[in-house]
Amino acid sequence: MAPPGPRVVVGLLAAWRPLFRGRLLLVTNTLSCGALMAAGDAVRQAWERRLPEGADGPPQPMDLRRTARMFAMGCSMGPFLHYWYQWLDRLFPAVGFKDIGTILKKVLVDQLVASPLLGAWYFLGMGCLEGQSLDTSCQELQDKFWEFYKADWCVWPAAQLVNFLYVPTSYRVMYVNSMTLGWDTYLSYLKHRDHLPGRLGIASHTD
């Protein structure tokens, strides 16, 4: 099949551009957050459903309710991220390498404020959607937060440096979402690993 011609590409870009303007930008950011978090969970479940070599019987069916909860949680984070990046850009206006000091401040504030807030939001929100008690959700957050936050520092400072250096404000959330499929797969694992059969679990309980 021949690649699309320039007119097709230009037409697609023109069709998508309104989704990143005005009120539609909030909707785009919200739904894309939900969709990517659901996709990350689907990838994780596909891995969990793999049978070990020599095992009998069909794999476990995909848990669509779990994926729906991940979608809802992602959608709940979308508006926060939408306004968070707008606020950061107003507080620390910066363009390109000439403002690298200001951009590094933005990365640091993002890591010290947004990352832990979103981590707590994720574990407490998912616990609520699963019907956990608040005490159980808080205990899970306490047990898993530092593992989450250390992994966050390994991934997101570099990704956000690129974000703040090169990506226009209206595309920041979409950029983050495009980077999060692997991250959301990890979040799904971290949240649900306690419920996996022993043959699928990763030995993080013995760390």
Side-chain angles (χ1 to χ4, degrees):
M1 181 180 295
R7 291 185 180 180
V8 175
V9 174
V10 171
L12 289 174
L13 291 175
W16 281 92
R17 195 170 293 120
L19 297 177
F20 295 91
R21 294 176 178 171
R23 294 180 180 178
L24 279 180
L25 178 59
L26 176 58
V27 176
T28 300
N29 288 338
T30 298
L31 293 180
S32 61
C33 283
L36 268 294
M37 188 161 280
D41 179 70
V43 170
R44 179 61 205 175
Q45 287 200 55
W47 177 264
E48 292 169 5
R49 294 170 65 227
R50 295 177 61 193
L51 290 174
E53 186 175 354
D56 296 325
Q60 294 293 319
M62 185 169 178
D63 187 346
L64 294 179
R65 291 185 178 181
R66 166 176 150 179
T67 302
R69 289 192 293 267
M70 293 285 284
F71 174 78
M73 183 53 50
C75 287
S76 76
M77 294 176 175
F80 170 81
L81 291 172
H82 174 87
Y83 291 111
W84 170 252
Y85 290 126
Q86 291 184 0
W87 178 79
L88 269 185
D89 285 341
R90 287 196 299 268
L91 186 65
F92 300 107
V95 179
F97 278 99
K98 65 182 180 63
D99 296 321
I100 188 65
T102 302
I103 289 173
L104 290 175
K105 289 179 184 178
K106 291 169 75 169
V107 172
L108 183 61
V109 170
D110 188 69
Q111 283 298 120
L112 295 179
V113 178
S115 291
L117 178 60
L118 289 171
W121 189 334
Y122 174 72
F123 286 108
L124 296 179
M126 285 295 291
C128 178
L129 292 175
E130 291 176 349
Q132 290 180 349
S133 68
L134 181 59
D135 287 343
T136 300
S137 296
C138 288
Q139 184 61 51
E140 182 180 30
L141 174 62
Q142 181 178 338
D143 293 341
K144 297 178 178 179
F145 177 79
W146 287 112
E147 181 179 349
F148 155 83
Y149 197 42
K150 285 185 289 186
D152 190 282
W153 272 94
C154 293
V155 173
W156 286 108
Q160 294 292 47
L161 181 61
V162 173
N163 192 8
F164 296 135
L165 270 173
Y166 300 113
V167 181
T169 301
S170 59
Y171 296 99
R172 291 205 197 284
V173 176
M174 184 59 69
Y175 163 82
V176 168
N177 288 340
S178 71
M179 300 289 291
T180 57
L181 183 58
W183 179 250
D184 289 338
T185 302
Y186 166 73
L187 289 182
S188 178
Y189 154 71
L190 187 61
K191 177 68 181 73
H192 300 106
R193 69 182 179 193
D194 298 343
H195 307 298
L196 297 177
R199 61 184 173 82
L200 291 173
I202 295 178
S204 54
H205 283 278
T206 60
D207 287 348

